[in-house]
Amino acid sequence: MNIIQLNNLVKKYPVGNGEFTALNDINLNFKEGEFTGLVGPSGSGKTTLLNIIGSLDSPSYGSAIVMNKSIAELSHKEAAMLRNQHIGFIFQTYNLLPVYTVFENVEFPLLLQNKNATQRKNAVMEALEWVGLTDKIKSKPSMLSGGECQRVAIARAMVKKPQIVLADEPTANLDSKNSHHILQTMQKLNKELGVTFLFSTHDEKVMQYLNRLISLEDGKVISDTIKNA
Amino acid sequence: MIAIKLAYKNLVGAGLRTWLNVSVLSFAFVLMIFYNGMIEGWNRQARNDTQDWEIGQGQYWEPSFDRYDPYTYQDAHQVISEPIIQQIKKGLLTPILLVQANMYPQGRMQSVLLKGVDPKQNILKLPTSDLRFSSNETCAIIGKRLADENKLSVGDKVLVRWRDKNGMFDAIEIKIASIFKTDVPSVENGNMYLNIEVLQKMTGMTNEASILVAGKDSKLYDITNWDFKTPDFLLTDFDAMIQSKKAGGIIMSGLLLIIALLAIFDTQVLSIFRRQKEIGTYIAMGMTRSQVVGIFTVEGGAHSILAALVGAIYGIPLFIWLNKVGIPMAANSQDAGITIADTIYPYYSLDLIISSLLLVIISATIVSYMPARKIAKLKPTEALKGKIQ
């Protein structure tokens, strides 16, 4: 079953008096439980594509259907609801809330879902167990290493058990050892929980973990390879 | 709840910047309450003093009497009827006869208003009992200001000239029986108090009075041929002066509040620029833009809550202490002609505290909301990159 469908997707941005085409006629489908990477050089449209799938942006033309909802037709509130319920984000720079502890950072998406305190505590501890950070619950992000911060970000994205996790260059700021650790964690979560992972990356280390590799260049798909059928 | 929790964490996390804003705002808050409390304390004391010394629970005026027109004084007197005499005997009313005169201290001439009062009265705080035991001499009591201005002491005699009922001049030497001090300048300035019976005899106005002052237990009712004036009417000038003082206080507090609010506004604008990534993250996690605007508004508004708490820490002991010891007024402040006690005891009403608190909270929330509205226009994709839009 396709969880994401992109049909003739075009995204243009106004630049000066003209327009810049960030995505050009993208046609892609993603099934539930995929572990897919969007690869390509900077400016190829990877992040733009993730933003549209994540309902942070909308297509100029064509359609993007995520969880049976057309992104272009969603209101701000409906888009927020889609992200709140079904989509987790992992960012290159972690984007943790600096004033919150690890526990509170991971708990945040559950507060938005109005879960009660017991539900939140159980879910947060479970998510921190997945990423091996149960001993750091009281630490602030400033007290953690880059790898630990990214693991907190993964726990935050996973704590609400979303259907889709969108990871924008998740290993770009990490060393080799931490990158492998992060990817192994995400791979494990993908297998155990069946969550669909969609990465943007140009990191070779990431590519070896991916099941499907989509190459983008100048906003166009130039290849779509399924590695392990 | 998230907004409050996050606001608290961000405010504490911002450290010195938060405490600077909170300090200025709390100072504005405390000063606002202090100033208004002082004015209110002054107002209450002055009203009480004026009632105790001059106007009682109201006055009945002879219909032609106009306190602003001295030309009316000559004819503003009438015979006290029998029912009124009964009220006077019961101590519910006290009559005053007003006669314009001149006195000649050290050869100088000065206008003076002779006020005939009942030596047995207890309605006004005037020490009229000092007029009770006069021998053959005509005695008067005067206020300290009039005494000082004219270098008069107890036992001194001063020549006084007046017109009688028929407009004929007459003159006599009056002995100063006592000198009193009061916070109400209008009681002292240019007034000389004589036994009403003596003044009636001097002017030929037997059993006549110009005004009747009502006492505390007086049941106010219409008296034929006398116009009743309420204390509020009699205090109109004073109320106008207090209102102008309050307006001055509002301007001063307003300026201080504006400075504090500008600091909050500035902090909010900076916050929104500096925390674009955080805003983008909130939106990515599923917050609506209005929820994010709410977080930033609550955060800015929370400055005022902290300011109230900080203000309470140093303000409450300060106010309690001031309320106990009072605020001494300058020795010559009464010379300006306004009723003011030597020491003012501020009065902090619950209304004053609540209204000041609401004013600070609401205005801080509004100035926090104004820059936060910009968030609603931010593109989340640009915000996530931390790009200034």
Side-chain angles (χ1 to χ4, degrees):
Chain A
M1 185 193 164
N2 289 331
I3 197 166
I4 302 164
Q5 297 168 58
L6 309 175
N7 301 314
N8 308 113
L9 183 73
V10 175
K11 180 66 188 179
K12 292 185 176 190
Y13 291 110
V15 178
N17 291 330
E19 282 183 324
F20 168 73
T21 305
L23 293 171
N24 194 358
D25 200 25
I26 304 286
N27 287 285
L28 288 168
N29 291 321
F30 298 91
K31 289 192 170 66
E32 232 176 310
E34 278 195 20
F35 203 68
T36 302
L38 302 169
V39 297
S42 291
S44 58
K46 306 182 298 285
T47 302
T48 305
L49 191 55
L50 285 187
N51 284 339
I52 291 174
I53 293 169
S55 72
L56 292 171
D57 209 345
S58 56
S60 305
Y61 307 105
S63 68
I65 313 288
V66 177
M67 306 284 304
N68 295 321
K69 288 190 168 75
S70 171
I71 297 297
E73 289 166 17
L74 294 178
S75 64
H76 283 309
K77 219 172 179 178
E78 288 166 336
M81 185 71 88
L82 177 70
R83 290 191 296 272
N84 183 9
Q85 300 294 331
H86 303 294
I87 301 173
F89 286 88
I90 299 168
F91 304 99
Q92 180 182 337
T93 49
Y94 329 127
N95 291 25
L96 299 177
L97 303 174
V99 292
Y100 272 12
T101 62
V102 165
F103 184 94
E104 289 165 335
N105 263 287
V106 178
E107 186 191 24
F108 200 88
L110 302 175
L111 286 168
L112 296 179
Q113 291 184 342
N114 294 321
K115 293 265 164 61
N116 68 41
T118 315
Q119 288 173 319
R120 292 200 306 268
K121 192 180 175 189
N122 293 339
V124 171
M125 292 313 290
E126 187 184 20
L128 287 172
E129 255 173 51
W130 293 333
V131 296
L133 281 176
T134 46
D135 57 333
K136 302 271 185 185
I137 54 169
K138 287 182 180 166
S139 303
K140 292 266 177 80
S142 57
M143 298 154 74
L144 303 176
S145 68
E148 286 171 329
C149 281
Q150 197 58 297
R151 278 150 66 195
V152 176
I154 293 170
R156 185 178 65 182
M158 292 301 301
V159 71
K160 59 187 177 186
K161 296 188 178 156
Q163 274 80 10
I164 302 164
V165 170
L166 304 173
D168 190 8
E169 308 268 10
T171 58
N173 283 357
L174 303 178
D175 59 24
S176 175
K177 190 181 161 196
N178 270 312
S179 295
H180 283 295
H181 189 188
I182 293 291
L183 287 159
Q184 281 158 7
T185 305
M186 289 199 275
Q187 198 176 42
K188 192 177 95 179
L189 291 169
N190 168 252
K191 281 180 183 160
E192 287 178 7
L193 302 173
V195 180
T196 306
F197 274 81
L198 196 52
F199 296 86
S200 79
T201 185
H202 49 247
D203 184 348
E204 292 290 332
K205 294 186 291 294
V206 177
M207 292 178 206
Q208 63 189 353
Y209 287 89
L210 302 172
N211 297 334
R212 183 181 174 191
L213 210 62
I214 298 165
S215 296
L216 292 173
E217 203 173 293
D218 296 331
K220 286 184 178 174
V221 175
I222 54 166
S223 71
D224 185 354
T225 316
I226 295 173
K227 286 167 70 180
N228 302 317
Chain B
M1 194 60 199
I2 307 173
I4 293 168
K5 194 175 171 187
L6 199 61
Y8 170 75
K9 294 232 169 212
N10 279 324
L11 285 175
V12 172
L16 190 62
R17 200 171 53 245
T18 297
W19 294 114
L20 278 173
N21 286 339
V22 166
S23 303
V24 178
L25 198 58
S26 77
F27 187 60
F29 181 57
V30 168
L31 196 72
M32 208 182 294
I33 293 175
F34 164 74
Y35 188 83
N36 285 307
M38 194 181 77
I39 295 282
E40 189 55 33
W42 174 14
N43 182 22
R44 282 171 172 256
Q45 278 175 260
R47 286 182 82 95
N48 285 341
D49 287 348
T50 309
Q51 283 198 276
D52 288 348
W53 281 89
E54 191 176 21
I55 63 172
Q57 298 305 305
Q59 292 179 345
Y60 293 90
W61 287 3
E62 197 280 339
S64 63
F65 177 68
D66 179 353
R67 60 177 165 172
Y68 298 120
D69 182 3
Y71 291 109
T72 63
Y73 293 11
Q74 180 70 25
D75 299 320
H77 50 87
Q78 64 177 320
V79 173
I80 305 166
S81 62
E82 189 51 38
I84 296 173
I85 291 171
Q86 293 307 316
Q87 296 284 319
I88 292 167
K89 280 182 180 165
K90 286 180 192 166
L92 302 174
L93 291 172
T94 188
I96 297 179
L97 179 63
L98 306 175
V99 175
Q100 279 208 301
N102 291 315
M103 68 172 179
Y104 299 86
Q106 286 90 39
R108 292 183 294 116
M109 185 178 82
Q110 187 180 331
S111 291
V112 70
L113 186 64
L114 302 179
K115 289 188 172 179
V117 288
D118 181 358
K120 289 175 274 182
Q121 67 84 27
N122 288 312
I123 290 173
L124 301 175
K125 262 189 176 175
L126 286 166
T128 48
S129 58
D130 294 345
L131 298 168
R132 209 181 282 182
F133 308 105
S134 55
S135 54
N136 294 331
E137 294 167 312
T138 304
C139 292
I141 55 171
I142 58 171
K144 190 172 179 301
R145 279 185 204 84
L146 188 69
D148 290 347
E149 280 165 16
N150 297 287
K151 296 186 172 60
L152 292 171
S153 308
V154 174
D156 286 355
K157 288 180 179 173
V158 63
L159 182 70
V160 173
R161 192 178 72 144
W162 72 96
R163 280 174 190 268
D164 67 12
K165 190 179 179 180
N166 303 312
M168 297 297 290
F169 280 108
D170 202 349
I172 195 172
E173 273 202 324
I174 292 179
K175 185 181 171 188
I176 306 302
S178 73
I179 295 170
F180 63 87
K181 190 178 180 314
T182 171
D183 299 331
V184 189
S186 58
V187 172
E188 292 190 41
N189 291 342
N191 292 326
M192 186 173 264
Y193 296 86
L194 284 78
N195 184 329
I196 190 167
E197 286 178 10
V198 172
L199 189 60
Q200 284 168 343
K201 212 175 278 177
M202 283 161 60
T203 54
M205 298 176 195
T206 312
N207 197 31
E208 290 193 34
S210 305
I211 58 176
L212 305 167
V213 181
K216 274 181 187 158
D217 301 323
S218 172
K219 287 175 188 158
L220 304 173
Y221 58 96
D222 283 342
I223 302 178
T224 314
N225 291 332
W226 293 88
D227 290 344
F228 182 66
K229 306 292 177 188
T230 62
D232 283 343
F233 171 83
L234 296 166
L235 287 163
T236 309
D237 292 346
F238 177 74
D239 286 344
M241 193 266 300
I242 284 289
Q243 286 309 319
S244 75
K245 290 281 172 199
K246 277 186 180 171
I250 287 168
I251 292 168
M252 190 182 70
S253 313
L255 282 173
L256 200 64
L257 188 61
I258 286 169
I259 293 170
L261 294 177
L262 271 174
I264 294 176
F265 184 85
D266 189 47
T267 304
Q268 285 292 95
V269 171
L270 268 175
S271 261
I272 289 159
F273 275 117
R274 281 175 50 248
R275 291 162 61 191
Q276 300 241 347
K277 239 181 199 181
E278 187 182 325
I279 293 166
T281 308
Y282 290 140
I283 294 171
M285 282 196 285
M287 280 189 125
T288 60
R289 290 170 196 214
S290 54
Q291 279 177 307
V292 183
V293 169
I295 282 182
F296 277 77
T297 306
V298 168
E299 199 174 307
H303 280 100
S304 57
I305 308 281
L306 283 179
L309 293 174
V310 170
I313 290 169
Y314 66 85
I316 290 174
L318 177 74
F319 292 155
I320 291 172
W321 178 71
L322 282 176
N323 207 265
K324 210 171 173 184
V325 300
I327 302 164
M329 290 289 109
N332 59 352
S333 54
Q334 287 162 354
D335 295 345
I338 49 177
T339 307
I340 189 163
D342 293 338
T343 303
I344 287 184
Y345 295 91
Y347 180 80
Y348 308 107
S349 66
L350 195 62
D351 285 356
L352 170 67
I353 293 166
I354 290 173
S355 59
S356 304
L357 191 64
L358 285 177
L359 176 70
V360 172
I361 291 174
I362 291 170
S363 49
T365 307
I366 290 170
V367 296
S368 304
Y369 172 70
M370 278 152 48
R373 281 182 312 172
K374 190 176 160 60
I375 293 168
K377 292 174 190 162
L378 290 183
K379 286 183 182 170
T381 51
E382 300 294 302
L384 277 167
K385 289 177 197 166
K387 277 190 181 175
I388 293 170
Q389 296 169 59

